[in-house]
Amino acid sequence: MIVEAPYLMFLGDVPDQLAAKTAQGIVDWRPEWCRGQLRLAGCKADLKIPDMTIEEAAKAGCRTLIVGVANAGGVLPDHWSETIVKAIEAGMDVASGLHARLASKPVIAEAALRHNRRLTDVRHSSETFATGKGTKRSGLRLLTVGTDCSVGKKYTALALEKEMRKQGLDADFRATGQTGLFISGRGVAIDAVVADFISGAVEWISPAAAPNHWDLIEGQGSLFHPSFAGVSLGLLHGAQPDCFVICHEPTRTTMRGVKHPLPSIRAVIDLTITCGKLTNPAIRPAGISVNTEHLAEAEARALVETLEKEHDLPTTDPIRFGVGAIVANLLRLYPHSKAA
C-alpha cells in the first residue's frame, strides 16, 4: 500500500467525534504524518491539529488527502466530491478507508486521471483469499474482542505491540480495519472481504511463525452486535487466538447504532471461549481493556480495580494507565515468549 505523507485529514461534515475515528487513529499513532485537518460546515469532530484549506495544505507540502471518516455503510457523500477534486487539482493523491471506492464518483475518477494522481481505497484488497482451514499453526496469537464496536480494540492491540517491543518481545500488530491499515501499512480490511473468505483472510495476515512470536490481531465489531457479529465470528475463527483481551466502554448502555443493550464483560468472555474453541481449544482471556476517556481519574481507577477483582484478570486503560499488567500476565501464561 502506497500512501505518501504528509497528510491533510478530511473529516467532511461528520456528526460526532467517533465518526472521525479513522482520522483520529492516524493522528494518535502517526502524528508526524498529519499536517492539518479540513472540515466542512457542520462538522462536529476536531482532531486538535491546524485547520487548513486545500491551498494552505498544498503550500505546507501535504501529499495525500485522507478521507478519515468511518460512517454507517462506508458511503462517500456526493457533496464531498468537490473538495476531493480540489485536492487532486492541487497536486494531492487521495486515500480513503470507506467501503465506497473513490473512483465510483466519475468526477473524482476523471480528475485523478487528468492530473495523474493516485486514488487508494485501503479497504479493498487486491489479494485473493482461500477459505479458512482452522489448521493449528505455530506462533502465539492474541485477539482483541469487544462488548461493542469502537471501544478500543485497535488502540489496545497497538499499545500491546509498543509495550511488548519495548520489553524485547517479538510482536507484530496485525491490522484488520481501515484505520489500522493506514497506521501499519499492511493487513486486510476484514469487513470488506466476502463472507466465505473472512477466516481465510485472517489466516493469511497471521501465518505460521516462530514459537515465541506474538501476532496481536486487531478485533472488529462484537459477537453481540446485530450488525457486525458475522465479521467478528469469522475473525475469531481465523485468528485462532491463544488468548484474548476484552475491550469495553463503560458509559454506554446500548451498542453503537442499534438499540440492543450492551452485553456484560462476563458474557463476552464466555461466548468468545465457546466460539473460539472451534479453532483453538486452549483459548483463554488474558486481560480487560477499559476505555475511560469519559470518566474522571479517580472514577476510572476505581472502575479498573473493581473489574479486576470481579473477573480476576489484569485490567487497565491502555492510554491512561498503560498495558504493563497485561503484558506481565502474557509472560506468566506463555513464558516461552520471553526475550532471549
PDB file of all heavy atoms in Angstrom, residues 156-183:
ATOM      1  N   THR A 156      -5.827  -0.927  21.837  1.00  0.00           N
ATOM      2  CA  THR A 156      -5.287  -1.911  22.774  1.00  0.00           C
ATOM      3  C   THR A 156      -4.213  -2.755  22.109  1.00  0.00           C
ATOM      4  O   THR A 156      -3.132  -2.973  22.680  1.00  0.00           O
ATOM      5  CB  THR A 156      -6.415  -2.802  23.309  1.00  0.00           C
ATOM      6  OG1 THR A 156      -7.375  -1.992  23.995  1.00  0.00           O
ATOM      7  CG2 THR A 156      -5.873  -3.862  24.262  1.00  0.00           C
ATOM      8  N   ALA A 157      -4.488  -3.227  20.895  1.00  0.00           N
ATOM      9  CA  ALA A 157      -3.501  -4.051  20.182  1.00  0.00           C
ATOM     10  C   ALA A 157      -2.234  -3.251  19.878  1.00  0.00           C
ATOM     11  O   ALA A 157      -1.114  -3.763  20.009  1.00  0.00           O
ATOM     12  CB  ALA A 157      -4.108  -4.612  18.898  1.00  0.00           C
ATOM     13  N   LEU A 158      -2.384  -2.003  19.488  1.00  0.00           N
ATOM     14  CA  LEU A 158      -1.221  -1.159  19.196  1.00  0.00           C
ATOM     15  C   LEU A 158      -0.420  -0.865  20.465  1.00  0.00           C
ATOM     16  O   LEU A 158       0.815  -0.854  20.444  1.00  0.00           O
ATOM     17  CB  LEU A 158      -1.670   0.144  18.539  1.00  0.00           C
ATOM     18  CG  LEU A 158      -2.073   0.044  17.067  1.00  0.00           C
ATOM     19  CD1 LEU A 158      -2.882   1.266  16.633  1.00  0.00           C
ATOM     20  CD2 LEU A 158      -0.850  -0.122  16.174  1.00  0.00           C
ATOM     21  N   ALA A 159      -1.125  -0.620  21.573  1.00  0.00           N
ATOM     22  CA  ALA A 159      -0.434  -0.366  22.841  1.00  0.00           C
ATOM     23  C   ALA A 159       0.323  -1.600  23.306  1.00  0.00           C
ATOM     24  O   ALA A 159       1.441  -1.504  23.834  1.00  0.00           O
ATOM     25  CB  ALA A 159      -1.443   0.074  23.898  1.00  0.00           C
ATOM     26  N   LEU A 160      -0.270  -2.772  23.090  1.00  0.00           N
ATOM     27  CA  LEU A 160       0.415  -4.014  23.450  1.00  0.00           C
ATOM     28  C   LEU A 160       1.663  -4.204  22.595  1.00  0.00           C
ATOM     29  O   LEU A 160       2.724  -4.589  23.105  1.00  0.00           O
ATOM     30  CB  LEU A 160      -0.536  -5.205  23.285  1.00  0.00           C
ATOM     31  CG  LEU A 160      -1.600  -5.362  24.370  1.00  0.00           C
ATOM     32  CD1 LEU A 160      -2.653  -6.378  23.939  1.00  0.00           C
ATOM     33  CD2 LEU A 160      -0.966  -5.790  25.690  1.00  0.00           C
ATOM     34  N   GLU A 161       1.559  -3.934  21.299  1.00  0.00           N
ATOM     35  CA  GLU A 161       2.728  -4.057  20.432  1.00  0.00           C
ATOM     36  C   GLU A 161       3.854  -3.145  20.916  1.00  0.00           C
ATOM     37  O   GLU A 161       5.016  -3.566  21.017  1.00  0.00           O
ATOM     38  CB  GLU A 161       2.368  -3.709  18.988  1.00  0.00           C
ATOM     39  CG  GLU A 161       3.561  -3.805  18.041  1.00  0.00           C
ATOM     40  CD  GLU A 161       3.312  -3.126  16.702  1.00  0.00           C
ATOM     41  OE1 GLU A 161       2.915  -1.939  16.694  1.00  0.00           O
ATOM     42  OE2 GLU A 161       3.517  -3.781  15.664  1.00  0.00           O
ATOM     43  N   LYS A 162       3.516  -1.908  21.222  1.00  0.00           N
ATOM     44  CA  LYS A 162       4.521  -0.936  21.653  1.00  0.00           C
ATOM     45  C   LYS A 162       5.210  -1.380  22.940  1.00  0.00           C
ATOM     46  O   LYS A 162       6.447  -1.335  23.049  1.00  0.00           O
ATOM     47  CB  LYS A 162       3.854   0.432  21.845  1.00  0.00           C
ATOM     48  CG  LYS A 162       4.817   1.552  22.206  1.00  0.00           C
ATOM     49  CD  LYS A 162       4.068   2.882  22.287  1.00  0.00           C
ATOM     50  CE  LYS A 162       5.018   4.016  22.623  1.00  0.00           C
ATOM     51  NZ  LYS A 162       4.276   5.331  22.692  1.00  0.00           N
ATOM     52  N   GLU A 163       4.428  -1.826  23.924  1.00  0.00           N
ATOM     53  CA  GLU A 163       4.991  -2.237  25.204  1.00  0.00           C
ATOM     54  C   GLU A 163       5.776  -3.537  25.082  1.00  0.00           C
ATOM     55  O   GLU A 163       6.858  -3.688  25.681  1.00  0.00           O
ATOM     56  CB  GLU A 163       3.876  -2.395  26.244  1.00  0.00           C
ATOM     57  CG  GLU A 163       4.348  -2.840  27.619  1.00  0.00           C
ATOM     58  CD  GLU A 163       5.303  -1.869  28.283  1.00  0.00           C
ATOM     59  OE1 GLU A 163       5.255  -0.658  27.975  1.00  0.00           O
ATOM     60  OE2 GLU A 163       6.120  -2.323  29.123  1.00  0.00           O
ATOM     61  N   MET A 164       5.266  -4.483  24.314  1.00  0.00           N
ATOM     62  CA  MET A 164       5.949  -5.766  24.168  1.00  0.00           C
ATOM     63  C   MET A 164       7.279  -5.600  23.444  1.00  0.00           C
ATOM     64  O   MET A 164       8.297  -6.189  23.818  1.00  0.00           O
ATOM     65  CB  MET A 164       5.042  -6.768  23.454  1.00  0.00           C
ATOM     66  CG  MET A 164       3.842  -7.171  24.319  1.00  0.00           C
ATOM     67  SD  MET A 164       2.573  -8.114  23.427  1.00  0.00           S
ATOM     68  CE  MET A 164       3.298  -9.762  23.488  1.00  0.00           C
ATOM     69  N   ARG A 165       7.316  -4.767  22.427  1.00  0.00           N
ATOM     70  CA  ARG A 165       8.579  -4.500  21.734  1.00  0.00           C
ATOM     71  C   ARG A 165       9.558  -3.773  22.651  1.00  0.00           C
ATOM     72  O   ARG A 165      10.763  -4.035  22.609  1.00  0.00           O
ATOM     73  CB  ARG A 165       8.316  -3.684  20.469  1.00  0.00           C
ATOM     74  CG  ARG A 165       7.647  -4.478  19.347  1.00  0.00           C
ATOM     75  CD  ARG A 165       7.508  -3.638  18.102  1.00  0.00           C
ATOM     76  NE  ARG A 165       7.055  -4.432  16.965  1.00  0.00           N
ATOM     77  CZ  ARG A 165       6.920  -3.952  15.728  1.00  0.00           C
ATOM     78  NH1 ARG A 165       7.201  -2.673  15.490  1.00  0.00           N
ATOM     79  NH2 ARG A 165       6.505  -4.741  14.751  1.00  0.00           N
ATOM     80  N   LYS A 166       9.026  -2.879  23.472  1.00  0.00           N
ATOM     81  CA  LYS A 166       9.875  -2.171  24.435  1.00  0.00           C
ATOM     82  C   LYS A 166      10.553  -3.150  25.380  1.00  0.00           C
ATOM     83  O   LYS A 166      11.705  -2.954  25.788  1.00  0.00           O
ATOM     84  CB  LYS A 166       9.019  -1.170  25.218  1.00  0.00           C
ATOM     85  CG  LYS A 166       9.778  -0.354  26.250  1.00  0.00           C
ATOM     86  CD  LYS A 166       8.824   0.586  26.979  1.00  0.00           C
ATOM     87  CE  LYS A 166       9.533   1.353  28.083  1.00  0.00           C
ATOM     88  NZ  LYS A 166       8.580   2.236  28.821  1.00  0.00           N
ATOM     89  N   GLN A 167       9.851  -4.227  25.714  1.00  0.00           N
ATOM     90  CA  GLN A 167      10.400  -5.246  26.602  1.00  0.00           C
ATOM     91  C   GLN A 167      11.218  -6.309  25.861  1.00  0.00           C
ATOM     92  O   GLN A 167      11.649  -7.283  26.470  1.00  0.00           O
ATOM     93  CB  GLN A 167       9.268  -5.913  27.395  1.00  0.00           C
ATOM     94  CG  GLN A 167       8.558  -4.977  28.355  1.00  0.00           C
ATOM     95  CD  GLN A 167       7.608  -5.706  29.289  1.00  0.00           C
ATOM     96  OE1 GLN A 167       7.789  -6.884  29.598  1.00  0.00           O
ATOM     97  NE2 GLN A 167       6.583  -4.998  29.757  1.00  0.00           N
ATOM     98  N   GLY A 168      11.414  -6.101  24.568  1.00  0.00           N
ATOM     99  CA  GLY A 168      12.246  -7.009  23.797  1.00  0.00           C
ATOM    100  C   GLY A 168      11.540  -8.229  23.265  1.00  0.00           C
ATOM    101  O   GLY A 168      12.187  -9.172  22.780  1.00  0.00           O
ATOM    102  N   LEU A 169      10.206  -8.245  23.313  1.00  0.00           N
ATOM    103  CA  LEU A 169       9.448  -9.382  22.803  1.00  0.00           C
ATOM    104  C   LEU A 169       9.268  -9.267  21.292  1.00  0.00           C
ATOM    105  O   LEU A 169       9.292  -8.166  20.719  1.00  0.00           O
ATOM    106  CB  LEU A 169       8.082  -9.463  23.482  1.00  0.00           C
ATOM    107  CG  LEU A 169       8.091  -9.561  25.011  1.00  0.00           C
ATOM    108  CD1 LEU A 169       6.674  -9.589  25.544  1.00  0.00           C
ATOM    109  CD2 LEU A 169       8.858 -10.796  25.465  1.00  0.00           C
ATOM    110  N   ASP A 170       9.083 -10.397  20.649  1.00  0.00           N
ATOM    111  CA  ASP A 170       8.860 -10.461  19.209  1.00  0.00           C
ATOM    112  C   ASP A 170       7.361 -10.358  18.969  1.00  0.00           C
ATOM    113  O   ASP A 170       6.619 -11.337  19.124  1.00  0.00           O
ATOM    114  CB  ASP A 170       9.411 -11.786  18.676  1.00  0.00           C
ATOM    115  CG  ASP A 170       9.326 -11.887  17.159  1.00  0.00           C
ATOM    116  OD1 ASP A 170       9.027 -10.870  16.509  1.00  0.00           O
ATOM    117  OD2 ASP A 170       9.556 -12.997  16.627  1.00  0.00           O
ATOM    118  N   ALA A 171       6.867  -9.162  18.609  1.00  0.00           N
ATOM    119  CA  ALA A 171       5.430  -8.921  18.497  1.00  0.00           C
ATOM    120  C   ALA A 171       5.122  -8.012  17.323  1.00  0.00           C
ATOM    121  O   ALA A 171       5.843  -7.041  17.070  1.00  0.00           O
ATOM    122  CB  ALA A 171       4.900  -8.300  19.789  1.00  0.00           C
ATOM    123  N   ASP A 172       4.030  -8.319  16.623  1.00  0.00           N
ATOM    124  CA  ASP A 172       3.580  -7.517  15.487  1.00  0.00           C
ATOM    125  C   ASP A 172       2.087  -7.257  15.571  1.00  0.00           C
ATOM    126  O   ASP A 172       1.300  -8.172  15.834  1.00  0.00           O
ATOM    127  CB  ASP A 172       3.865  -8.237  14.164  1.00  0.00           C
ATOM    128  CG  ASP A 172       5.329  -8.209  13.780  1.00  0.00           C
ATOM    129  OD1 ASP A 172       5.947  -7.137  13.884  1.00  0.00           O
ATOM    130  OD2 ASP A 172       5.852  -9.269  13.388  1.00  0.00           O
ATOM    131  N   PHE A 173       1.696  -6.007  15.332  1.00  0.00           N
ATOM    132  CA  PHE A 173       0.294  -5.629  15.185  1.00  0.00           C
ATOM    133  C   PHE A 173      -0.194  -6.086  13.821  1.00  0.00           C
ATOM    134  O   PHE A 173       0.465  -5.862  12.811  1.00  0.00           O
ATOM    135  CB  PHE A 173       0.171  -4.111  15.318  1.00  0.00           C
ATOM    136  CG  PHE A 173      -1.177  -3.555  14.941  1.00  0.00           C
ATOM    137  CD1 PHE A 173      -2.270  -3.711  15.782  1.00  0.00           C
ATOM    138  CD2 PHE A 173      -1.344  -2.862  13.748  1.00  0.00           C
ATOM    139  CE1 PHE A 173      -3.511  -3.176  15.440  1.00  0.00           C
ATOM    140  CE2 PHE A 173      -2.578  -2.322  13.397  1.00  0.00           C
ATOM    141  CZ  PHE A 173      -3.658  -2.485  14.248  1.00  0.00           C
ATOM    142  N   ARG A 174      -1.354  -6.738  13.796  1.00  0.00           N
ATOM    143  CA  ARG A 174      -1.947  -7.200  12.540  1.00  0.00           C
ATOM    144  C   ARG A 174      -3.269  -6.460  12.323  1.00  0.00           C
ATOM    145  O   ARG A 174      -4.246  -6.669  13.034  1.00  0.00           O
ATOM    146  CB  ARG A 174      -2.185  -8.709  12.567  1.00  0.00           C
ATOM    147  CG  ARG A 174      -0.915  -9.539  12.771  1.00  0.00           C
ATOM    148  CD  ARG A 174       0.096  -9.314  11.665  1.00  0.00           C
ATOM    149  NE  ARG A 174       1.257 -10.206  11.799  1.00  0.00           N
ATOM    150  CZ  ARG A 174       2.333 -10.128  11.044  1.00  0.00           C
ATOM    151  NH1 ARG A 174       2.427  -9.176  10.118  1.00  0.00           N
ATOM    152  NH2 ARG A 174       3.344 -10.976  11.225  1.00  0.00           N
ATOM    153  N   ALA A 175      -3.290  -5.572  11.338  1.00  0.00           N
ATOM    154  CA  ALA A 175      -4.443  -4.719  11.080  1.00  0.00           C
ATOM    155  C   ALA A 175      -5.552  -5.475  10.357  1.00  0.00           C
ATOM    156  O   ALA A 175      -5.295  -6.204   9.395  1.00  0.00           O
ATOM    157  CB  ALA A 175      -4.017  -3.513  10.250  1.00  0.00           C
ATOM    158  N   THR A 176      -6.780  -5.254  10.819  1.00  0.00           N
ATOM    159  CA  THR A 176      -7.942  -5.854  10.160  1.00  0.00           C
ATOM    160  C   THR A 176      -8.995  -4.811   9.809  1.00  0.00           C
ATOM    161  O   THR A 176     -10.110  -5.156   9.425  1.00  0.00           O
ATOM    162  CB  THR A 176      -8.579  -6.927  11.062  1.00  0.00           C
ATOM    163  OG1 THR A 176      -9.056  -6.301  12.266  1.00  0.00           O
ATOM    164  CG2 THR A 176      -7.581  -8.024  11.410  1.00  0.00           C
ATOM    165  N   GLY A 177      -8.650  -3.533   9.936  1.00  0.00           N
ATOM    166  CA  GLY A 177      -9.581  -2.454   9.609  1.00  0.00           C
ATOM    167  C   GLY A 177      -8.861  -1.324   8.909  1.00  0.00           C
ATOM    168  O   GLY A 177      -7.628  -1.267   8.864  1.00  0.00           O
ATOM    169  N   GLN A 178      -9.629  -0.402   8.363  1.00  0.00           N
ATOM    170  CA  GLN A 178      -9.051   0.649   7.523  1.00  0.00           C
ATOM    171  C   GLN A 178      -8.082   1.550   8.285  1.00  0.00           C
ATOM    172  O   GLN A 178      -7.032   1.925   7.765  1.00  0.00           O
ATOM    173  CB  GLN A 178     -10.162   1.483   6.864  1.00  0.00           C
ATOM    174  CG  GLN A 178     -10.987   2.356   7.781  1.00  0.00           C
ATOM    175  CD  GLN A 178     -12.169   1.629   8.390  1.00  0.00           C
ATOM    176  OE1 GLN A 178     -12.210   0.412   8.428  1.00  0.00           O
ATOM    177  NE2 GLN A 178     -13.143   2.392   8.872  1.00  0.00           N
ATOM    178  N   THR A 179      -8.398   1.887   9.541  1.00  0.00           N
ATOM    179  CA  THR A 179      -7.511   2.759  10.297  1.00  0.00           C
ATOM    180  C   THR A 179      -6.197   2.058  10.603  1.00  0.00           C
ATOM    181  O   THR A 179      -5.109   2.633  10.456  1.00  0.00           O
ATOM    182  CB  THR A 179      -8.175   3.210  11.608  1.00  0.00           C
ATOM    183  OG1 THR A 179      -9.495   3.684  11.336  1.00  0.00           O
ATOM    184  CG2 THR A 179      -7.369   4.303  12.267  1.00  0.00           C
ATOM    185  N   GLY A 180      -6.287   0.806  11.025  1.00  0.00           N
ATOM    186  CA  GLY A 180      -5.079   0.033  11.286  1.00  0.00           C
ATOM    187  C   GLY A 180      -4.208  -0.095  10.057  1.00  0.00           C
ATOM    188  O   GLY A 180      -2.972  -0.069  10.146  1.00  0.00           O
ATOM    189  N   LEU A 181      -4.843  -0.218   8.893  1.00  0.00           N
ATOM    190  CA  LEU A 181      -4.087  -0.300   7.637  1.00  0.00           C
ATOM    191  C   LEU A 181      -3.321   0.995   7.379  1.00  0.00           C
ATOM    192  O   LEU A 181      -2.162   0.969   6.960  1.00  0.00           O
ATOM    193  CB  LEU A 181      -5.035  -0.595   6.478  1.00  0.00           C
ATOM    194  CG  LEU A 181      -5.423  -2.059   6.297  1.00  0.00           C
ATOM    195  CD1 LEU A 181      -6.678  -2.186   5.454  1.00  0.00           C
ATOM    196  CD2 LEU A 181      -4.293  -2.820   5.638  1.00  0.00           C
ATOM    197  N   PHE A 182      -3.965   2.130   7.609  1.00  0.00           N
ATOM    198  CA  PHE A 182      -3.274   3.406   7.440  1.00  0.00           C
ATOM    199  C   PHE A 182      -2.087   3.518   8.396  1.00  0.00           C
ATOM    200  O   PHE A 182      -1.036   4.051   8.044  1.00  0.00           O
ATOM    201  CB  PHE A 182      -4.235   4.572   7.698  1.00  0.00           C
ATOM    202  CG  PHE A 182      -5.073   4.972   6.526  1.00  0.00           C
ATOM    203  CD1 PHE A 182      -6.461   4.973   6.608  1.00  0.00           C
ATOM    204  CD2 PHE A 182      -4.495   5.359   5.331  1.00  0.00           C
ATOM    205  CE1 PHE A 182      -7.245   5.360   5.531  1.00  0.00           C
ATOM    206  CE2 PHE A 182      -5.271   5.758   4.242  1.00  0.00           C
ATOM    207  CZ  PHE A 182      -6.642   5.751   4.346  1.00  0.00           C
ATOM    208  N   ILE A 183      -2.258   3.022   9.618  1.00  0.00           N
ATOM    209  CA  ILE A 183      -1.216   3.142  10.635  1.00  0.00           C
ATOM    210  C   ILE A 183      -0.046   2.208  10.359  1.00  0.00           C
ATOM    211  O   ILE A 183       1.122   2.595  10.473  1.00  0.00           O
ATOM    212  CB  ILE A 183      -1.806   2.870  12.032  1.00  0.00           C
ATOM    213  CG1 ILE A 183      -2.798   3.984  12.409  1.00  0.00           C
ATOM    214  CG2 ILE A 183      -0.709   2.761  13.094  1.00  0.00           C
ATOM    215  CD1 ILE A 183      -3.644   3.668  13.623  1.00  0.00           C
TER     216      ILE A 183
END
